[in-house]
Amino acid sequence: MENLIALLIAAPLLGAAVLLCGGRRLDAVGHWIGTVLAAASFVVGVVLFADMLGKDPENRAMHQFLFSWIPVGGFQADVAFQLDQLSMTFVLLITGVGSLIHVYSIGYMEHDERRRRFFGYLNLFLAAMLLLVLADNYLLLYVGWEGVGLASYLLIGFWQHKPSAATAAKKAFLVNRVGDVGLSIAIMLMFTTFGTFAFGPVLEATGEATEGKLTAIALMLLLAACGKSAQVPLQSWLGDAMEGPTPVSALIHAATMVTAGVYLIVRSADIFNAAPDAQLVTTVVGAVTLLFGAIVGCAKDDIKKALAGSTMSQIGYMVLAAGLGPIGYVFAIMHLVTHGFFKAGLFLGAGSVMHGMNDEVDMRKYGGLRKYMPITFITFGLGYLAIIGFPGLSGFFSKDKIIEAAFAKGGTEGWILGGVALLGAAITAFYMTRVMLMTFFGEERWRNQPSASPAEPDVEPAAEHHGAQGEPHPHESPKVMTVPMIVLAVGSVFAGAFFSIGDRFIHWLEPVTGHAHGNPPIGAAAVTASTVAVMVLGVGLAWLQYGRRPVPVVAPRGSLLTRAARRDLYQDDFNHVVLVRGGEHLTRSLVYVDHTLVDGVVNGTAAGMGGLSGRLRRIQNGYARSYAVSMFGGAAILIAATLLMRAV
């Protein structure tokens, strides 16, 4: 079975090669080629999963060596794959949810002239993410890491005729390069410390390294995770990434890019366990980001950007859990998987709404759509209930476990982290209820409104294919779009309970990540009751503000916090002042030093030598009498010196 691991990557990689190099002759069937090869990778994953279940938990890891990549003296880099319980979880998520998004895209991108290229990019995205999670060493992981960055750039900027899309793609690419520097430094530190960058030898040798070195490596890995997973301070790219087609948003937020950072931290668990300071920083980053994203999501009128703030917040929960160490590793991955179901469903539901609303994204121009899009309403509603932690649905089980783990950290730190996690749950219920009410309930504010918000359009190159111009005529999406939404809704409802029965998910991942129960100061029942209470509070506040009052088509000015949240809590302003302006001032300072000091020394030396040579040149004037005088003078000096030496 080990020989099948490479097929997981080969299938979508082949699809990307064929679709991107095959030319226009494949335009008519390119979407089917991409979808079939994505599904083929999922089938291979299911076969390997079934084989893995038939083995003892301690012997389930599989390895496949392909070839030696860089054999240079003591520097040995192999192209080899490792499939264990952790990577298998990601394989099934990536290929399963990714295949559903491919199917959905067949309908969503039906009238796009570049649909073949789009599916080629989707296949490339899946292949790069699979390489990332299947690599058995950090250097090969880095190749997949960069491949994910490239694919995200191509997909976010797919409609590059829009300046906003081109800018968003460049922004995502550049911000992620900052995190990538952290990963490259971490790999260098690993090699200088351990003499290798393979997972097994590195993680087994952590006890031989000093805590300072392990802390440095862990912090660099965290920096990389912040870039890919849009965590503070590298979170600014995620909202702008909504400029890409909606299936791209679903793929980035649910199954691929933003999950890479969580995988990196959990895969490097032994390093973080031996670096408590780095673990503390990780929990702080997760706690700050989960509140940051939730607050931003409360003020967004663009339905996709509201969901983007939600993703930032939910990934913050996962990073918080991963920072808790063995108490939280399993629950970080569990929430990642359940989040993959309901967040993909929410984004595809948002795309379905846009499909029936002439690509309008402004929720203030929605309202009352449940009557016109019943399947979208039900599936989106189930995803909504899952993400707010409604009892019995997937998000309830996974998020509740993270909150319990936060309290189980113990001491003042546990109370603070648990309190932050509860506050985040309340805000999540508020902003997601806001999205639900503004979109599917209330008066039909879209009547007598022009289509496609000029500020934030989501149109395709060929034309606005999702509806005629003028007043929207909302309607349900075709089956090729609704069927994937239904499947994801089923996962949103049942996945959490399935994982929790008999601690099934804990037993699955424990051989890889380990697990500890911690010292919770309050019981699990009290945590559950508190979580449900804050969820009800958030829903109630949203109902009072958006359910019982008419929603104005034009957003009111709002409070200072609301205005700040609309501007993403000034994250771009901060980056512009500190990084852009700071970089400009630094560059000017370096130019001044270069001109005055460096060029001053060089030019001064040149000028001095030029002046000296000019004066010496006067001696060589071509007159014989001058040379005779020089010779006489030189001889006189030599005679005088000789006589003086004899006298002494």
Side-chain angles (χ1 to χ4, degrees):
M1 283 294 178
E2 289 83 355
N3 295 330
L4 295 179
I5 298 176
L7 291 179
L8 292 167
I9 304 170
L13 189 60
L14 174 63
V18 169
L19 295 177
L20 297 178
C21 301
R24 294 187 175 181
R25 66 178 66 88
L26 297 177
D27 283 354
V29 295
H31 50 290
W32 291 112
I33 294 174
T35 303
V36 168
L37 288 174
S41 183
F42 175 68
V43 171
V44 174
V46 171
V47 171
L48 289 169
F49 175 64
D51 179 70
M52 186 176 286
L53 288 177
K55 300 178 181 179
D56 295 332
E58 302 298 332
N59 299 314
R60 285 174 171 168
M62 294 182 278
H63 294 81
Q64 182 181 10
F65 172 84
L66 290 187
F67 58 89
S68 185
W69 177 20
I70 310 176
V72 181
F75 188 89
Q76 182 72 28
D78 298 329
V79 174
F81 305 124
Q82 171 179 303
L83 184 64
D84 56 16
Q85 291 92 319
L86 177 60
S87 50
M88 175 57 77
T89 301
F90 278 82
V91 164
L92 294 177
L93 175 67
I94 294 165
T95 58
V97 175
S99 296
L100 291 173
I101 293 172
H102 275 69
V103 173
Y104 177 94
S105 300
I106 293 173
Y108 190 88
M109 302 294 289
E110 180 180 3
H111 299 285
D112 195 298
E113 295 178 352
R114 300 167 66 236
R115 180 165 63 166
R116 169 185 54 81
R117 184 178 296 273
F118 178 79
F119 276 83
Y121 292 159
L122 288 184
N123 274 197
L124 179 63
F125 210 160
L126 291 190
M129 190 65 192
L130 288 168
L131 177 61
L132 191 158
V133 300
L134 288 171
D136 84 332
N137 62 81
Y138 285 96
L139 191 61
L140 189 59
L141 178 149
Y142 187 78
V143 176
W145 191 271
E146 292 300 319
V148 168
L150 171 62
S152 67
Y153 170 78
L154 295 172
L155 286 167
I156 293 170
F158 183 74
W159 291 330
Q160 70 268 27
H161 68 288
K162 298 193 301 180
S164 57
T167 301
K170 289 186 289 186
K171 183 177 182 180
F173 190 81
L174 292 174
V175 172
N176 273 274
R177 296 292 72 72
V178 178
D180 295 349
V181 170
L183 182 55
S184 62
I185 293 175
I187 294 172
M188 295 179 207
L189 289 174
M190 288 175 192
F191 188 77
T192 57
T193 303
F194 305 109
T196 181
F197 32 70
F199 291 151
V202 168
L203 300 178
E204 291 171 3
T206 53
E208 302 173 7
T210 64
E211 184 176 320
K213 287 185 177 180
L214 293 173
T215 300
I217 294 173
L219 290 177
M220 290 299 99
L221 293 174
L222 175 61
L223 178 63
C226 287
K228 276 290 184 288
S229 295
Q231 299 294 284
V232 170
L234 300 179
Q235 80 285 9
S236 62
W237 65 271
L238 191 61
D240 292 335
M242 299 303 97
E243 291 293 339
T246 300
V248 175
S249 303
L251 195 60
I252 288 176
H253 288 248
T256 56
M257 190 164 181
V258 296
T259 66
V262 181
Y263 170 80
L264 182 64
I265 295 174
V266 176
R267 174 60 74 189
S268 308
D270 289 339
I271 296 175
F272 281 86
N273 291 340
D277 291 339
Q279 280 188 322
L280 176 60
V281 175
T282 304
T283 58
V284 171
V285 167
V288 170
T289 307
L290 77 87
L291 291 181
F292 188 105
I295 293 171
V296 167
C298 290
K300 294 295 184 181
D301 293 329
D302 183 320
I303 187 171
K304 290 171 65 177
K305 290 190 176 182
L307 294 178
S310 168
T311 297
M312 193 185 304
S313 179
Q314 297 305 307
I315 299 294
Y317 273 103
M318 301 171 206
V319 173
L320 167 62
L324 296 174
I327 303 173
Y329 289 137
V330 171
F331 303 131
I333 303 302
M334 180 176 173
H335 192 54
L336 185 150
V337 176
T338 59
H339 176 265
F341 284 110
F342 56 70
K343 183 53 60 69
L346 289 170
F347 266 110
L348 297 189
S352 179
V353 170
M354 293 162 56
H355 179 275
M357 292 294 291
N358 293 356
D359 290 297
E360 180 62 71
V361 295
D362 189 347
M363 293 185 293
R364 293 186 179 277
K365 298 177 182 178
Y366 290 167
L369 294 180
R370 69 185 187 280
K371 296 182 296 183
Y372 305 93
M373 305 178 183
I375 298 177
T376 300
F377 167 64
I378 294 172
T379 56
F380 193 98
L382 291 174
Y384 151 74
L385 292 174
I387 195 173
I388 68 172
F390 190 85
L393 275 71
S394 293
F396 168 77
F397 292 98
S398 57
K399 189 187 297 183
D400 189 73
K401 291 296 184 181
I402 292 177
I403 297 174
E404 286 182 28
F407 280 110
K409 183 67 174 177
T412 304
E413 182 182 344
W415 282 105
I416 294 174
L417 294 175
V420 168
L422 280 175
L423 178 60
I427 302 175
T428 299
F430 176 85
Y431 70 73
M432 285 305 304
T433 302
R434 173 180 180 268
V435 170
M436 197 72 187
L437 293 174
M438 292 178 69
T439 302
F440 295 102
F441 294 87
E443 60 181 341
E444 299 173 353
R445 298 180 299 278
W446 42 270
R447 294 193 180 277
N448 301 317
Q449 291 293 331
S451 66
S453 171
E456 297 173 315
D458 191 4
V459 296
E460 301 178 4
E464 296 83 351
H465 70 282
H466 292 158
Q469 291 301 296
E471 182 179 294
H473 297 282
H475 56 278
E476 189 57 88
S477 299
K479 289 184 178 180
V480 73
M481 295 172 64
T482 56
V483 169
M485 293 159 54
I486 293 171
V487 175
L488 291 169
V490 172
S492 301
V493 174
F494 298 109
F498 177 78
F499 293 153
S500 298
I501 295 174
D503 291 334
R504 182 179 282 127
F505 202 78
I506 293 176
H507 297 320
W508 168 254
L509 278 186
E510 190 173 9
V512 180
T513 63
H515 182 64
H517 294 285
N519 300 300
I522 55 178
V527 173
T528 300
S530 301
T531 305
V532 173
V534 298
M535 181 267 293
V536 172
L537 176 63
V539 172
L541 291 176
W543 170 256
L544 290 175
Q545 184 167 348
Y546 296 95
R548 299 187 60 184
R549 303 175 185 175
V551 177
V553 175
V554 178
R557 179 176 174 80
S559 64
L560 178 62
L561 179 59
T562 299
R563 296 197 298 273
R566 286 174 184 156
R567 293 179 61 88
D568 298 329
L569 297 180
Y570 303 112
Q571 56 181 324
D572 285 329
D573 303 84
F574 175 83
N575 291 341
H576 185 76
V577 171
V578 175
L579 301 178
V580 178
R581 291 287 180 82
E584 290 175 352
H585 290 308
L586 177 61
T587 301
R588 292 193 186 105
S589 300
L590 293 175
V591 170
Y592 176 78
V593 171
D594 182 62
H595 286 172
T596 57
L597 182 60
V598 178
D599 286 354
V601 171
V602 174
N603 295 336
T605 302
M609 295 301 295
L612 178 61
S613 63
R615 287 171 175 77
L616 292 175
R617 191 164 56 245
R618 296 175 184 175
I619 300 174
Q620 303 292 332
N621 53 22
Y623 295 112
R625 60 181 178 271
S626 297
Y627 297 157
V629 171
S630 298
M631 293 170 65
F632 175 78
I637 292 173
L638 289 174
I639 293 170
T642 302
L643 293 174
L644 180 63
M645 291 177 64
R646 286 184 177 182
V648 174

